[in-house]
Amino acid sequence: MKETLRIIGKYTVESSSGWKVELPSFDVLIYEEEGKSIRLELEARPDVQGELEWILYTRERWTWRENDEPLAREKISEILKRIELAFWKLDMKIKEIVDPIM
């Protein structure tokens, strides 16, 4: 079955495979799957034409809950790809993903 994305409200994308990306404000992004979530920081900056471009600040330690084991690098890559897909669906441009580990 092919994965489908749908926009819910103004700034939420939900996938048929069970994950969701939500922007409750212009400085927070919430990624959810299987009842677990991760909050990331966002920043919006206008480009030279005045269109908003987004900077996503990732975490140094990716976990679902504070005391959980860190997520595998492959899982983090999967989450970031899904976030990029959600931004594409919302017709929003990610300018940069800032990774403190890199």
Side-chain angles (χ1 to χ4, degrees):
M1 179 180 193
K2 185 176 176 181
E3 179 178 39
T4 58
L5 301 176
R6 66 182 184 133
I7 297 173
I8 301 170
K10 195 166 184 177
Y11 297 107
T12 302
V13 173
E14 187 174 74
S15 166
S16 60
S17 63
W19 57 267
K20 180 167 86 170
V21 172
E22 179 181 8
L23 283 73
S25 69
F26 279 2
D27 57 357
V28 173
L29 176 144
I30 300 172
Y31 172 83
E32 295 179 24
E33 71 175 55
E34 299 177 5
K36 303 174 281 189
S37 66
I38 292 178
R39 294 173 66 92
L40 301 173
E41 292 182 37
L42 280 175
E43 183 179 348
R45 292 189 183 166
D47 64 11
V48 291
Q49 289 86 23
E51 300 277 330
L52 287 182
E53 296 179 313
W54 298 87
I55 299 172
L56 177 64
Y57 297 95
T58 65
R59 304 171 77 155
E60 190 170 329
R61 187 170 188 275
W62 286 72
T63 60
W64 294 114
R65 283 173 278 188
E66 193 171 318
N67 296 325
D68 285 354
E69 289 293 316
L71 297 178
R73 197 73 192 150
E74 296 80 27
K75 182 62 178 177
I76 294 167
S77 292
E78 179 182 302
I79 291 170
L80 290 174
K81 285 178 185 170
R82 289 173 174 175
I83 290 170
E84 289 176 329
L85 189 59
F87 270 71
W88 170 81
K89 182 71 174 174
L90 292 168
D91 198 24
M92 298 166 68
K93 181 180 175 187
I94 294 179
K95 177 181 180 176
E96 182 179 4
I97 297 176
V98 178
D99 188 346
I101 297 172
M102 298 293 198

